[in-house]
Amino acid sequence: MDADVAEQLAGERVLLTGGAGFLGSAVRRRLEEHGCDVCVPRSREYDLRLESEVDRVYRDMQPTVVIHAAAVVGGIGYNRDAPASIFDDNARMNLFLLSKAREHGARKFVGIGTICAYPKTPPSIPFREEELWHGYPEETNAPYGFAKKLLLVQGQAYAQQYGYNATHLLVVNLYGPGDNFDEASSHVIPAMVRRFMEARDDGRDEVVCWGDGTPTREFLYVEDGARAIVRAASLYDSPAPVNIGSGYEISMRALAETIADVVGYTGTIAWDTSKPNGQPRRLLDTSRAASEFGFRAETPFRDGLCRTVEWYERARA
Ligand SMILES: NC(=O)c1ccc[n+]([C@@H]2O[C@H](COP(=O)([O-])OP(=O)(O)OC[C@H]3O[C@@H](n4cnc5c(N)ncnc54)[C@H](OP(=O)(O)O)[C@@H]3O)[C@@H](O)[C@H]2O)c1
């Protein structure tokens, strides 16, 4: 437990949307450890894409703090197949959640944003928060990234006009136990873990990965991500967005080799260059999170990956 966080957050009634999801579950555990009363609206009870349902959530739960982590998310294939619903669903949820938070008197709103909001090729690497608007996002992620960017702009407008305390965190790709391993909608780490495990178990000697292996990505262990969000919720009161990452960059080729090694797959790895690479490089400058609320990622990549693989081996058994 972080004493500085507990001092600020203990006794708060926190509305945590998406609190039963991959990231949300880790945030929920951490908030509860710090003495918060956490309310999680499930989608089967409250469809947060509907204004009337969002109103009802606030009436029923009367939170003092909101952490908005609900979203429709997926990997590159899912973003290619469903860009319209990804944009619509996320934009609607974001708009209603923040506007109603203010109307219903929640004192603080933390929006969970994404690295996908960044331009495809920002002017410098690592990506700095100041460069968020210097170019169009990578095309496959743009509808998702823009729906999240609307929430940032909305929060900054509310801060300016109403003095409202809205914060926005730009979270890098997450991984860890509890991730989504569904074939159609998973992100790259669970998708590769699953494919390498199945090839290992079936005795296949080739696994084909998308793209040419050159793009780089940064990954943050989900428990580190949850710690960052809870620290920001308690210690950061500014509408200026903050990058949340690990500062560790790895190429897709090195990622595939590391996953194959951890999983125990010994065949070859082929690259299907007819499939998209996505954004060429992804690496965040994480200095603002360190200076503003003392967050630094702690989990070494390989340790986090081993825990993820162990979890999935158990879960599928
Ligand atoms: N995973 C990543 O790598 C990553 C990276 C950067 C940012 N993020 C952000 O982190 C947040 C959580 O992502 P995640 O990966 O943990 O996703 P997730 O496991 O899919 O969780 C998303 C949650 O959103 C809720 N939700 C979706 N549609 C809803 C609706 N119409 N009404 C109410 N609730 C709804 C779902 O609630 P139910 O379970 O009740 O259906 C679900 O638990 C998102 O804002 C995402 O954009 C994630």
Side-chain angles (χ1 to χ4, degrees):
M1 200 204 295
D2 298 335
D4 50 352
V5 170
E7 200 177 302
Q8 295 295 322
L9 275 189
E12 295 277 5
R13 190 164 171 79
V14 181
L15 173 64
L16 174 62
T17 70
F22 168 48
L23 172 63
S25 303
V27 174
R28 179 183 195 155
R29 284 193 295 277
R30 214 164 168 84
L31 286 168
E32 286 175 346
E33 263 172 41
H34 286 85
C36 298
D37 176 12
V38 185
C39 317
V40 173
R42 299 302 307 270
S43 61
R44 60 176 176 266
E45 294 163 293
Y46 302 92
D47 183 347
L48 300 178
R49 296 170 301 178
L50 303 176
E51 187 173 7
S52 57
E53 296 283 279
V54 174
D55 240 334
R56 191 162 63 85
V57 167
Y58 282 109
R59 276 201 311 273
D60 291 353
M61 299 183 175
Q62 304 195 359
T64 52
V65 172
V66 181
I67 300 178
H68 174 37
V72 176
V73 300
I76 194 167
Y78 190 60
N79 276 274
R80 271 203 329 183
D81 293 344
S85 44
I86 285 177
F87 181 84
D88 281 0
D89 291 349
N90 287 312
R92 293 169 69 87
M93 273 196 267
N94 295 345
L95 180 66
F96 298 141
L97 256 305
L98 175 50
S99 63
K100 299 286 168 188
R102 189 187 75 85
E103 276 176 39
H104 285 266
R107 69 168 183 83
K108 179 164 185 175
F109 184 96
V110 182
I112 307 303
T114 169
I115 192 173
C116 297
Y118 268 97
K120 182 174 183 174
T121 48
S124 63
I125 306 236
F127 305 176
R128 294 168 52 240
E129 290 90 345
E130 292 79 4
E131 290 163 353
L132 194 57
W133 295 97
H134 294 190
Y136 195 76
E138 197 280 320
E139 295 75 11
T140 33
N141 291 314
Y144 169 63
F146 265 109
K148 292 283 188 174
K149 266 176 139 160
L150 294 178
L151 182 63
L152 166 64
V153 173
Q154 188 187 358
Q156 292 180 329
Y158 280 37
Q160 187 184 333
Q161 186 174 339
Y162 306 126
Y164 191 67
N165 188 351
T167 291
H168 194 85
L169 305 176
L170 298 159
V171 180
V172 82
N173 297 48
L174 299 164
Y175 73 104
D179 205 344
N180 168 22
F181 282 78
D182 177 74
E183 220 168 343
S185 58
S186 55
H187 288 114
V188 61
I189 289 185
M192 278 191 184
V193 167
R194 182 181 168 143
R195 243 181 293 148
F196 283 120
M197 251 182 211
E198 287 173 357
R200 177 200 66 191
D201 294 348
D202 298 347
R204 272 183 279 129
D205 57 9
E206 185 181 83
V207 167
V208 180
C209 298
W210 279 27
D212 64 9
T214 60
T216 67
R217 291 290 177 268
E218 173 180 350
F219 295 101
L220 179 67
Y221 190 61
V222 65
E223 296 294 339
D224 282 338
R227 187 162 51 82
I229 290 165
V230 173
R231 287 196 73 76
S234 59
L235 303 170
Y236 184 65
D237 294 318
S238 162
V242 186
N243 288 338
I244 303 296
S246 62
Y248 173 74
E249 186 183 23
I250 183 169
S251 73
M252 296 304 281
R253 190 171 294 275
L255 177 68
E257 287 165 2
T258 308
I259 292 176
D261 186 41
V262 169
V263 162
Y265 165 76
T266 51
T268 56
I269 302 170
W271 294 90
D272 178 355
T273 53
S274 70
K275 293 288 195 299
N277 265 339
Q279 199 164 14
R281 279 186 76 183
R282 278 188 177 180
L283 181 65
L284 293 179
D285 176 340
T286 54
S287 55
R288 189 178 283 177
S291 62
E292 292 291 338
F293 48 91
F295 170 71
R296 283 180 194 79
E298 284 171 356
T299 311
F301 180 67
R302 200 179 166 96
D303 290 2
L305 186 61
C306 288
R307 281 179 231 163
T308 308
V309 168
E310 279 163 23
W311 178 85
Y312 183 57
E313 292 269 26
R314 278 199 309 275
R316 70 181 193 140

